């Protein structure tokens, strides 16, 4: 399931984030598994950069506001977001899947169920740089306005096509979902969208809606792990 979410960041947050991105140092070939590292050719802000913490706080605050992200990803744990830049000779990330287990700062591990890319450059500011994802329904190509985000299964084969001119800044993160099965997560998401629409038409107290909401909760109870 691929879900796009518009305007995750406000224009003020984008300005603040871009200012930090300009001041950060950038490094190559970090944070990928052995196979993905062969495909990875971009630059990233290293862990010891003093700007990284502020950037992460700004992004996490924005993610926590997004009701769509919560219902689509059902996040249990989120990896601290990372920031990358595609430009010049370091301009692409070939086809790969995201490695399954990632160490967290507290020493525990996160299972990557859902990957997210938050676009930080406007699409007109660079050529190429599409995120291409192999989905159940074929290839999906994603290039979103700055401040918008896409969620996709971490196990899907995906790539960033070469940036032909300009700079493409983005933020990416991995989430462990309460519901690890992608199809179960999709059923819950679609059901939740219908419940939201029905509540607007019939009000919270409608007896059938109470029953359907109970069904959603019982499926979540059955399928979630925490
Ligand atoms: Ni990836």
């Amino acid at each position: 399931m691929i879900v796009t979410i518009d305007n995750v960041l406000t224009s003020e947050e984008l300005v603040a984030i871009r200012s930090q991105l300009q001041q950060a140092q950038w490094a190559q070939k970090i944070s990928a598994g052995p196979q993905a590292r062969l495909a990875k050719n971009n630059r990233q802000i290293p862990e010891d950069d003093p700007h990284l913490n502020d950037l992460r706080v700004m992004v996490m605050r924005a993610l926590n506001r997004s009701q769509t992200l919560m219902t689509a990803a059902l996040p249990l744990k989120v990896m601290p977001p990372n920031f990358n830049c595609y430009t010049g000779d370091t301009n692409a990330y070939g086809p790969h899947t995201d490695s399954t287990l990632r160490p967290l700062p507290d020493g525990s591990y996160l299972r990557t169920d859902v990957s997210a890319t938050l676009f930080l450059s406007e699409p007109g500011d660079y050529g190429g740089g599409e995120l291409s994802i192999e989905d159940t329904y074929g290839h999906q190509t994603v290039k979103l306005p700055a401040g918008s985000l896409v969620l996709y299964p971490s196990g899907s084969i995906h790539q960033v096509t070469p940036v032909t001119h300009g700079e493409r800044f983005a933020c990416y993160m991995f989430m462990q979902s309460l519901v690890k099965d992608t199809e179960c997560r999709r059923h819950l998401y679609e059901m939740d969208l219908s419940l939201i629409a029905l509540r607007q038409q019939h009000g919270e107290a409608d007896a059938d809606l109470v029953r359907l909401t109970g069904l959603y909760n019982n499926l979540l109870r059955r399928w979630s792990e925490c």
Side-chain angles (χ1 to χ4, degrees):
M1 177 176 70
I2 296 173
V3 176
T4 59
I5 309 173
D6 294 335
N7 301 315
V8 169
L9 297 175
T10 65
S11 47
E12 291 80 15
E13 285 169 333
L14 258 179
V15 169
I17 285 174
R18 283 178 181 153
S19 154
Q20 301 265 359
L21 293 178
Q22 293 302 329
Q23 297 169 57
Q25 41 170 326
W26 294 86
Q28 268 180 266
K29 299 276 181 193
I30 46 178
S31 92
Q35 193 182 44
R37 200 173 299 147
L38 292 174
K40 187 175 186 176
N41 182 28
N42 63 8
R43 290 182 299 149
Q44 188 171 312
I45 300 182
E47 281 298 321
D48 59 359
D49 188 284
H51 303 281
L52 191 55
N53 192 51
D54 282 356
L55 283 162
R56 284 176 166 166
V57 168
M58 281 191 275
V59 168
M60 288 306 297
R61 200 179 290 146
L63 295 187
N64 285 329
R65 286 196 306 255
S66 172
Q67 196 53 47
T68 308
L69 185 142
M70 292 302 149
T71 184
L74 296 167
L76 173 65
K77 300 182 195 176
V78 181
M79 276 274 291
N82 279 310
F83 296 80
N84 55 29
C85 176
Y86 295 78
T87 189
D89 294 335
T90 50
N91 66 353
Y93 198 156
H96 67 282
T97 58
D98 297 327
S99 48
T100 312
L101 295 172
R102 301 269 178 164
L104 288 170
D106 68 1
S108 68
Y109 278 83
L110 172 149
R111 183 190 64 232
T112 58
D113 297 318
V114 180
S115 297
T117 297
L118 175 61
F119 288 76
L120 299 173
S121 300
E122 292 299 348
D125 289 347
Y126 59 96
E130 282 112 1
L131 176 61
S132 172
I133 305 160
E134 265 183 40
D135 189 28
T136 323
Y137 308 107
H139 267 282
Q140 308 282 322
T141 298
V142 183
K143 185 169 177 174
L144 298 178
S148 296
L149 175 140
V150 59
L151 300 172
Y152 48 101
S154 304
S156 64
I157 295 181
H158 53 274
Q159 62 177 308
V160 177
T161 64
V163 168
T164 52
H165 63 84
E167 289 177 318
R168 175 197 191 271
F169 290 100
C171 169
Y172 70 91
M173 64 223 93
F174 305 113
M175 301 174 205
Q176 179 169 332
S177 178
L178 288 162
V179 176
K180 73 176 167 190
D181 186 275
T182 304
E183 286 305 300
C184 293
R185 216 163 44 242
R186 184 168 65 79
H187 297 324
L188 288 170
Y189 177 59
E190 289 177 358
M191 194 171 175
D192 196 42
L193 291 182
S194 291
L195 283 169
I196 291 166
L198 286 170
R199 271 189 213 111
Q200 283 167 357
Q201 290 170 44
H202 301 286
E204 290 280 352
D206 181 271
D208 287 318
L209 260 171
V210 170
R211 194 175 295 279
L212 272 178
T213 303
L215 182 59
Y216 173 90
N217 282 322
N218 286 333
L219 286 173
L220 181 58
R221 193 168 284 116
R222 178 171 280 250
W223 289 336
S224 61
E225 300 160 12
C226 50

